[in-house]
Amino acid sequence: MGKSGILYVVGTGPGSSELMTLGAVRTLQKCPVIFYPVTQSKSGQQKSRALETVKDAVDLGKKILLPLEFSMRKNDSLVYEDAKEKCLAFLREGKDCAFVTIGDPSVFSTAGKFASMICGAGFGAKFLAGIPSFCQAAASASTVLCQAEEDLHIICGDEWFFDGRLTKELSSLDGGTKVIMKMNKSLIQILLLTVELGIEEKCLLVQNASMEDERIIYGKDFAAFAEILLADESFGKESGRYFSVLICRG
Amino acid sequence: MGKSGILYVVGTGPGSSELMTLGAVRTLQKCPVIFYPVTQSKSGQQKSRALETVKDAVDLGKKILLPLEFSMRKNDSLVYEDAKEKCLAFLREGKDCAFVTIGDPSVFSTAGKFASMICGAGFGAKFLAGIPSFCQAAASASTVLCQAEEDLHIICGDEWFFDGRLTKELSSLDGGTKVIMKMNKSLIQILLLTVELGIEEKCLLVQNASMEDERIIYGKDFAAFAEILLADESFGKESGRYFSVLICRG
């Protein structure tokens, strides 16, 4: 029996192929099979930020490309199960597979779950780190997140906002820098919260870090920006919300 | 008058050139001048992990290489001032300069200070993100740091240990994953603390992530490992201590 393939979970960084690592590029070049997550836009168009990132750096011409169609309307377990079976078939044939994921696989990625399923079936998985979006957000804004004895906290916006913890945490920034991610329903309210607490000058918001439509909004403009967002009905459905990183420097 | 040069602050990742980004490699290839931090070993030998990382991916043959010799015995302000003057001279001549720093420039790097000095003198600085050591530590151990609604806290070991906060924080890991870095004097005591609190099975230590001498120690072996370290007199002076990342999964 031949040698089994390996699953490589590859972080592509937040969105520019310039942020892919040499290791990620080399690994994807040699993997014949690539699984990539896709999301559906309102108009039904499929989009994969991970694959978009990869295609500028890796020749995908001869690859087997397999989308993982996650959707709010579907049961994601079925998507995973289906992908797992396909992946296992390739691994048994000795073909290496890659699962690409934006940012870093260890930070808010679905990759961990997929890798566990593959390892649980007796195959090997290897993680390749990627630039997390919060590091690129800081780089884009030419700022630092923590230095010397400062701490850094990466927190889930919606979760902390709706249970009231965020107000408490942002009332004092002595405890280090707070990076707020995963603001889905709460983004506008969190921007206004920083203004209410008078800490907006210590904050900045980076949307779509490293992408062509990257946007940096400084705290002094949060109130005006929140007004614009409130008036924009399409905003709730667009990725600018999900791909927003708020940095509150301690 | 010609165009001024730019200072690029380039994160090289934790230590393997495979973890450098395409952007970092391209930028260093085009920069004629590279500043790199060096540390002195006990025997007086100079070492630069950042430059070691770069040299496998970038041809340094025709570069002007300028060490920044940080030392406990010297006043670092003088090192910075001297480097700043040298850097400004190149920038005025229109030569781009790079400052290489391990990991990511936004996380516990001295790069922010240097960039501020250059910007303060009226020149431009651009940050290039790198893989932070804690992301590679997770990748090396094939684990994740946070997923779904979990939070991630990057905290300074010595600081939190010696003021007693760490005992409190680790008593409950409900608040997400704690990544403990910058354990200089406290490493052994922190390992033993996790055992004392009975959370060691949720912890793992990664030393020199991505390097040839990378080492992963799982919580069940912490007590034995602490004994070995205690018996090793040379340990206190070696980089294995500084380049240790402790992951405590919530």
Side-chain angles (χ1 to χ4, degrees):
Chain A
M1 207 180 108
K3 214 180 146 204
S4 295
I6 287 179
L7 171 69
Y8 292 93
V9 178
V10 180
T12 66
S16 157
S17 66
E18 285 285 292
L19 292 173
M20 290 180 69
T21 66
L22 298 180
V25 172
R26 281 180 201 155
T27 299
L28 292 173
Q29 269 161 351
K30 72 172 193 178
C31 278
V33 184
I34 299 180
F35 289 87
Y36 62 100
V38 293
T39 49
Q40 292 233 357
S41 73
K42 244 190 349 186
S43 56
Q45 224 188 346
Q46 282 198 341
K47 242 186 121 172
S48 174
R49 183 184 278 227
L51 200 71
E52 283 296 309
T53 307
V54 166
K55 79 173 176 31
D56 292 332
V58 178
D59 179 7
L60 299 175
K62 289 174 185 168
K63 308 282 187 200
I64 300 168
L65 297 176
L66 296 165
L68 278 76
E69 296 178 51
F70 295 120
S71 158
M72 289 301 170
R73 288 176 300 261
K74 279 187 202 167
N75 184 344
D76 278 352
S77 316
L78 295 177
V79 179
Y80 277 110
E81 276 302 325
D82 178 55
K84 175 189 145 187
E85 290 309 321
K86 283 177 183 154
C87 184
L88 291 179
F90 288 117
L91 298 178
R92 283 189 199 107
E93 286 172 22
K95 286 194 174 73
D96 289 336
C97 295
F99 178 115
V100 290
T101 182
I102 53 166
D104 175 71
S106 76
V107 178
F108 299 137
S109 152
T110 50
K113 181 176 171 183
F114 192 68
S116 299
M117 291 167 79
I118 299 302
C119 292
F123 291 83
K126 196 169 154 26
F127 285 69
L128 276 78
I131 303 286
S133 62
F134 57 84
C135 287
Q136 182 53 38
S140 294
S142 297
T143 190
V144 300
L145 295 171
C146 56
Q147 50 195 0
E149 309 305 323
E150 295 167 355
D151 304 311
L152 171 62
H153 306 276
I154 314 296
I155 60 192
C156 297
D158 279 0
E159 188 80 357
W160 284 47
F161 181 77
F162 292 112
D163 76 3
R165 263 186 302 166
L166 198 63
T167 307
K168 192 172 156 247
E169 281 296 321
L170 294 184
S171 299
S172 156
L173 283 173
D174 294 344
T177 294
K178 269 127 192 158
V179 170
I180 306 174
M181 293 175 67
K182 302 185 91 168
M183 296 172 288
N184 184 18
K185 301 196 180 92
S186 62
L187 174 58
I188 297 171
Q189 288 153 292
I190 289 177
L191 294 179
L192 292 173
L193 175 64
T194 68
V195 176
E196 197 184 306
L197 295 173
I199 58 157
E200 77 275 22
E201 303 270 343
K202 292 179 172 181
C203 303
L204 59 91
L205 183 76
V206 183
Q207 295 189 306
N208 294 315
S210 88
M211 305 286 287
E212 275 178 26
D213 56 352
E214 175 186 280
R215 189 170 182 182
I216 302 176
I217 300 113
Y218 294 93
K220 65 179 173 53
D221 301 319
F222 278 1
F225 184 64
E227 288 299 318
I228 294 168
L229 295 184
L230 277 168
D232 178 2
E233 287 181 8
S234 74
F235 176 69
K237 309 293 178 191
E238 298 306 320
S239 64
R241 188 188 275 258
Y242 186 74
F243 293 112
S244 289
V245 173
L246 177 66
I247 299 174
C248 307
R249 280 277 291 142
Chain B
M1 206 180 107
K3 214 180 145 205
S4 296
I6 287 179
L7 171 68
Y8 292 93
V9 177
V10 180
T12 66
S16 157
S17 66
E18 285 284 293
L19 292 174
M20 290 181 69
T21 66
L22 298 180
V25 171
R26 281 181 200 153
T27 299
L28 292 173
Q29 268 160 353
K30 72 173 192 178
C31 277
V33 184
I34 299 180
F35 289 87
Y36 62 101
V38 292
T39 49
Q40 292 232 357
S41 73
K42 244 191 346 187
S43 56
Q45 224 189 346
Q46 282 197 341
K47 241 187 120 172
S48 174
R49 184 185 277 227
L51 200 71
E52 283 295 308
T53 307
V54 167
K55 78 172 177 34
D56 292 332
V58 178
D59 179 6
L60 298 175
K62 289 174 185 167
K63 308 281 186 198
I64 300 168
L65 297 175
L66 296 165
L68 278 77
E69 296 179 50
F70 295 119
S71 159
M72 289 302 170
R73 289 176 298 262
K74 278 188 203 166
N75 184 345
D76 278 352
S77 316
L78 294 177
V79 179
Y80 277 109
E81 276 302 326
D82 178 55
K84 176 188 144 186
E85 290 310 322
K86 283 178 182 154
C87 185
L88 292 180
F90 287 117
L91 298 178
R92 283 189 199 104
E93 285 172 21
K95 286 194 174 73
D96 289 336
C97 295
F99 178 114
V100 291
T101 182
I102 53 167
D104 175 72
S106 77
V107 179
F108 299 137
S109 152
T110 52
K113 182 177 170 182
F114 193 68
S116 299
M117 292 167 78
I118 299 302
C119 292
F123 292 82
K126 196 169 155 25
F127 285 69
L128 276 78
I131 303 287
S133 62
F134 57 85
C135 286
Q136 181 54 36
S140 294
S142 297
T143 191
V144 300
L145 295 171
C146 55
Q147 51 195 0
E149 310 305 324
E150 295 168 355
D151 303 312
L152 171 62
H153 306 276
I154 313 297
I155 59 191
C156 296
D158 279 1
E159 188 82 356
W160 284 46
F161 181 76
F162 292 114
D163 77 2
R165 261 185 303 166
L166 197 62
T167 306
K168 191 171 156 247
E169 282 296 322
L170 293 184
S171 299
S172 156
L173 283 174
D174 294 344
T177 294
K178 276 141 188 147
V179 170
I180 307 174
M181 292 175 67
K182 302 184 90 169
M183 296 171 286
N184 185 17
K185 299 195 180 91
S186 61
L187 174 58
I188 298 170
Q189 288 153 294
I190 289 177
L191 294 179
L192 292 173
L193 175 64
T194 67
V195 177
E196 198 184 304
L197 294 172
I199 58 157
E200 76 275 23
E201 303 270 345
K202 292 178 172 182
C203 302
L204 59 91
L205 183 77
V206 183
Q207 295 188 305
N208 295 314
S210 89
M211 305 286 287
E212 275 177 25
D213 56 352
E214 174 186 281
R215 190 170 180 180
I216 301 175
I217 300 114
Y218 293 92
K220 65 180 173 51
D221 301 318
F222 279 0
F225 185 62
E227 288 299 317
I228 294 167
L229 295 183
L230 278 168
D232 179 2
E233 287 179 8
S234 73
F235 176 69
K237 309 291 177 194
E238 298 305 322
S239 63
R241 188 189 275 259
Y242 186 76
F243 294 113
S244 290
V245 173
L246 178 65
I247 298 174
C248 307
R249 281 276 291 141

